[in-house]
Each structure stands twice: as C-alpha cells, then as structure tokens.
Amino acid sequence: MKYPRAVPVLIFLLISAITGLGVFSIERVAYQRERARLQSISQTIGSALERRSSANVAYLRAGAALFSTVEKVEEPLFRRFVDELRIDSGYRGSFGMGWAEAVKPEDLENYERRMAISALGGRAVFPPYDGSRKWIVPVTFLQPQTGPN
C-alpha cells in the first residue's frame, strides 16, 4: 500500500459526507414540513377572511335592499333591521352597523334641527363643515347602542 494513512482519511471523508447529506436531508424535510404548516395556516386564515367578508357583503346587500324600498330611513326601522341581523351575538370583527345620511351643505341646518327634535338628541355634525365638500355624510344611526358605539 503506497499511502497507508489514506484509509483513515478516506473513512473520515466518507463519514463526513454521509453526515453532511443526513443533516441536509433532515433540514430539507423540516423546511418542507414548516412550509406545509404555514401554507395550511394561511389557507385557514384566507378562508376565514373570505367567510367574514361574505357576511359583510350579505349585510350590506340586505341593508341596500331594505332601504331602497323606503323613502326615508327612520331610527326605529334601522334599529329593528340591525336587531334582526343579530350582529352583537357572536359576530366578531365589527362593533355594529351605522347609517350615514347624505346631506347637501345647504340642508345641514335642517338636518341638525331634525336630529335635535328626534329621540337621538341634538348633536352637531362633527367635524364642522368647512365648505370644501359637495356632500356631508354624518353618521345618523349606529346600532347596537353599546359602550364602544
């Protein structure tokens, strides 16, 4: 044998290569497992968001259908509509539902007077109208009437 010390070196290199391949394959499997787990989580989150957005769209369509059938949205009608939706019982992601009436700037004083007469009390539109918009859209009704709302 020309190089007697080469055998241990070859054995060492062979064991090192096998160890390196083992570590590489273990890391690759762990990476693939983690990637699959994250993909599963992201699909679950995406599905949940899609369900929630579908519920929001359904609420908006229901409101649009109802309110397109009446000349003027009154507070008792709006309250009953939101009560029937049962937003406060188990629906997460929303504090409630509001109705915002579009008011022309020249009708703002009449709107505020009408709100003062109603059971809602006399709150002025906030922020005050600064003359820069064609329409003012104050939140007129907000249900359910809870602390955050």
Side-chain angles (χ1 to χ4, degrees):
M1 179 169 254
K2 191 171 185 180
Y3 300 104
R5 293 186 185 160
V7 173
V9 172
L10 287 175
I11 292 173
F12 171 76
L13 291 176
L14 182 63
I15 291 173
S16 295
I18 291 171
T19 303
L21 285 173
V23 168
F24 175 76
S25 65
I26 290 170
E27 289 294 322
R28 184 172 171 90
V29 168
Y31 171 78
Q32 289 174 345
R33 186 179 317 127
E34 184 65 17
R35 186 170 181 193
R37 188 182 73 82
L38 289 175
Q39 190 171 12
S40 173
I41 290 170
S42 67
Q43 285 177 343
T44 302
I45 291 171
S47 296
L49 289 173
E50 189 173 339
R51 282 191 306 275
R52 272 197 199 167
S53 67
S54 294
N56 286 336
V57 168
Y59 289 152
L60 291 173
R61 286 188 178 153
L66 173 65
F67 300 135
S68 68
T69 64
V70 295
E71 188 68 30
K72 185 177 178 191
V73 177
E74 299 288 340
E75 201 264 339
L77 173 66
F78 183 75
R79 182 184 304 142
R80 181 162 182 219
F81 170 71
V82 174
D83 286 346
E84 292 297 323
L85 289 177
R86 291 177 179 80
I87 290 176
D88 57 341
S89 64
Y91 182 72
R92 298 171 304 181
S94 176
F95 286 116
M97 186 175 284
W99 172 259
E101 185 175 329
V103 180
K104 293 181 182 177
E106 57 268 17
D107 296 334
L108 181 59
E109 193 174 309
N110 291 335
Y111 171 83
E112 287 179 334
R113 192 176 310 115
R114 196 175 74 232
M115 290 297 106
I117 294 170
S118 76
L120 301 173
R123 294 193 176 110
V125 171
F126 184 82
Y129 179 64
D130 60 3
S132 66
R133 295 167 285 178
K134 290 174 132 180
W135 291 91
I136 304 158
V137 188
V139 175
T140 307
F141 309 124
L142 189 57
Q143 290 291 326
Q145 292 181 347
T146 59
N149 287 343

